[in-house]
Amino acid sequence: MIALAQAWRAGLTRRTQRTTVAREAAMIRSEPPEHHELTTRELIRMAQSARAAIEARG
């Protein structure tokens, strides 16, 4: 009976680990790969617009 309980707990632990790994993998896949690139492009555009606005005033 003790061996059965230990085996059940071990199986539960493996299932929990697999669920956690699957959840983390899904979170990684849900982020678009170009996310950081787009953010960088937006920052560059904002900096260029700010520079152009300052140069137009001065």
Side-chain angles (χ1 to χ4, degrees):
M1 199 65 158
I2 293 172
L4 181 61
Q6 289 173 340
W8 183 82
R9 272 188 247 126
L12 182 62
T13 302
R14 280 193 294 275
R15 274 181 265 145
T16 303
Q17 289 172 346
R18 275 185 285 187
T19 302
T20 303
V21 169
R23 189 177 300 136
E24 289 173 356
M27 288 172 43
I28 290 169
R29 275 187 248 126
S30 67
E31 181 180 331
E34 69 280 355
H35 175 73
H36 299 292
E37 185 179 339
L38 289 174
T39 302
T40 303
R41 284 184 191 157
E42 289 172 358
L43 289 172
I44 291 170
R45 283 189 206 129
M46 289 170 58
Q48 289 171 341
S49 296
R51 182 185 296 162
I54 291 170
E55 289 174 355
R57 277 190 274 158

